[in-house]
Amino acid sequence: MGVNVRGRSFLTLLDYTPEEIRYLLNLSKEFKRMKAAGTLHEYLRGKQVVLLFEKTSTRTRCAFEVAARDLGMGVTFLDPASSQMGKKESLADTAKVLGRMFDGIEYRGFKQSVVEDLAKYSGVPVWNGLTDDFHPTQMLADIMTCEEEFGDMRGRKLTFFGDARNNVANSLMVVCAKLGINFCACGPKELMPKDELVEKCREAAAYSGATITLIDDIREGAKDADVLYTDIWLSMGEPAELWEQRIHLLRPYQVNGALMAMAKPTAIFLHCLPSFHDRETTVGEDIYQKFGLEAMEVTDEVFLGKQARQFDEAENRMHTIKAVMYATLK
Ligand code: CP
Ligand code: NVA
């Protein structure tokens, strides 16, 4: 039976079957081929989407805007400063209004319950562009990048080093569990995913044949790994006062040349970005002045090295987001 996700929201990959995820990945690859060949694909001409961003973004916003335009759609961008949402108008009322004008809504913000409520009240597909809990569109780009390198990812090992209970790590655990990829969260015990989510992922893993491992030993984390993944140590929305504690906890989990050398020689490095790998940002420089760290979650040796694939991954955000919008709106 063919997969059909028309009319569905895309809030967390927990709601999607492995077959549906596979379908979206295949569609993403097809869109990438079309873009490279210069084949126009304005399949959704006449439709309109709105992008709501309560947190900042470079990749996700640009990916949605470019993908929507490539599909022939109109795009409206709203941020908290330029809309009434949450200040003069409730979320439910905002969702009902947007649902009358737009065919689909992207939301990036804080609580997962907000993106769920938008879907509930708007009556149109809602796409999660990152919440405190999940970052599902990122996952399609990540797995697509892995498959471009290795082909079938089933049975391979992906290890996330760092804050293993953030939105990206949570979502990686979900997608790996669904697709039969062995997932390892490697970080301090204080920063491990919630038991409830681990339980759900273990259930999915029982079907797919994936394993889920939570450990604090970097040698074990890197051993036999095909993909080494990391993310910033302090996510959007977390207070800057936490930097000192986070640096103390996560310094041993920095992805550097020594750690890469503990993995398979064929391993690749991924990062959702943005990244603190040097002092070329205001935060990076500030951290250097306060704590003497030249780099945080990843060093330039890895970030600029031969195994790094994070810019392919960033490009793939656009192709995968296009697939999600097309599949749910067509
Ligand atoms: N990876 C990612 O979501 O990047 P942005 O925060 O720039 O959108
Ligand atoms: N964990 C990061 C991901 C950014 C794409 C954050 O939420 O800030």
Side-chain angles (χ1 to χ4, degrees):
M1 212 170 60
V3 172
N4 183 3
V5 297
R6 189 165 178 260
R8 293 258 304 273
S9 284
F10 190 76
L11 307 177
T12 155
L13 284 174
L14 287 168
D15 302 337
Y16 276 67
T17 65
E19 293 72 28
E20 288 165 347
I21 299 171
R22 185 73 261 148
Y23 163 74
L24 291 171
L25 285 166
N26 291 345
L27 198 53
S28 307
K29 291 175 187 172
E30 186 55 33
F31 276 127
K32 187 169 183 172
R33 275 192 288 273
M34 279 194 266
K35 183 87 174 175
T39 311
L40 287 184
H41 42 278
E42 294 180 335
Y43 301 148
L44 299 179
R45 198 181 295 174
K47 293 196 188 281
Q48 295 288 337
V49 295
V50 62
L51 314 180
L52 304 180
F53 279 83
E54 295 200 299
K55 289 176 178 169
T56 51
S57 167
T58 297
R59 276 145 292 271
T60 308
R61 175 180 175 180
C62 294
F64 269 99
E65 292 211 16
V66 172
R69 291 198 184 99
D70 281 354
L71 288 168
M73 296 195 284
V75 191
T76 301
F77 175 82
L78 286 181
D79 63 15
S82 61
S83 71
Q84 316 280 24
M85 193 168 124
K87 299 187 296 284
K88 284 170 67 183
E89 191 161 45
S90 70
L91 178 73
D93 290 356
T94 305
K96 286 174 193 167
V97 171
L98 296 178
R100 298 286 183 110
M101 297 189 193
F102 294 97
D103 299 287
I105 301 171
E106 181 276 354
Y107 173 80
R108 166 173 287 198
F110 298 87
K111 288 189 189 147
Q112 180 70 15
S113 61
V114 172
V115 78
E116 284 165 5
D117 282 349
L118 276 173
K120 186 166 139 194
Y121 294 114
S122 68
V124 297
V126 171
W127 311 294
N128 179 354
L130 179 146
T131 60
D132 292 343
D133 293 341
F134 295 112
H135 195 5
T137 63
Q138 178 74 49
M139 296 306 112
L140 296 177
D142 297 349
I143 302 303
M144 179 172 171
T145 311
C146 291
E147 291 183 351
E148 286 173 342
E149 185 74 25
F150 298 114
D152 193 345
M153 276 298 288
R154 280 174 297 182
R156 290 193 181 265
K157 176 177 173 183
L158 182 151
T159 301
F160 179 90
F161 292 91
D163 177 9
R165 28 111 270 180
N166 78 11
N167 39 22
V168 169
N170 283 344
S171 297
L172 281 169
M173 180 165 68
V174 175
V175 79
C176 288
K178 295 255 176 179
L179 297 184
I181 302 165
N182 298 327
F183 176 76
C184 177
C186 188
K189 291 188 174 63
E190 294 88 335
L191 299 176
M192 281 293 150
K194 287 191 183 124
D195 291 345
E196 192 193 338
L197 182 63
V198 175
E199 204 46 52
K200 280 188 192 156
C201 290
R202 291 225 156 102
E203 281 168 26
Y207 283 103
S208 71
T211 58
I212 304 215
T213 315
L214 313 177
I215 49 168
D216 59 7
D217 184 278
I218 56 160
R219 216 162 263 285
E220 275 303 306
K223 190 170 171 236
D224 298 326
D226 296 286
V227 183
L228 284 79
Y229 198 123
T230 191
D231 185 10
I232 49 173
W233 289 346
L234 197 69
S235 285
M236 288 182 277
E238 295 192 299
E241 299 80 69
L242 279 181
W243 269 120
E244 186 169 3
Q245 183 203 58
R246 222 32 92 67
I247 287 169
H248 174 72
L249 283 171
L250 290 175
R251 215 169 170 159
Y253 298 91
Q254 180 187 66
V255 180
N256 49 38
L259 184 66
M260 282 306 285
M262 294 177 202
K264 281 186 186 167
T266 51
I268 59 168
F269 168 76
L270 291 184
H271 192 310
C272 56
L273 305 177
S275 162
F276 294 123
H277 58 96
D278 57 23
R279 291 164 54 193
E280 301 296 318
T281 60
T282 47
V283 175
E285 180 59 23
D286 191 43
I287 294 289
Y288 173 75
Q289 295 301 336
K290 286 191 184 126
F291 306 102
L293 278 184
E294 292 273 357
M296 283 192 267
E297 73 275 6
V298 56
T299 59
D300 266 352
E301 186 184 5
V302 174
F303 197 85
L304 306 175
K306 286 202 300 284
Q307 291 160 286
R309 298 289 181 275
Q310 69 277 7
F311 294 112
D312 296 318
E313 184 185 7
E315 178 194 324
N316 287 338
R317 298 294 311 284
M318 199 278 287
H319 307 299
T320 46
I321 281 171
K322 190 182 285 175
V324 171
M325 287 196 288
Y326 174 69
T328 54
L329 291 185
K330 70 179 176 156

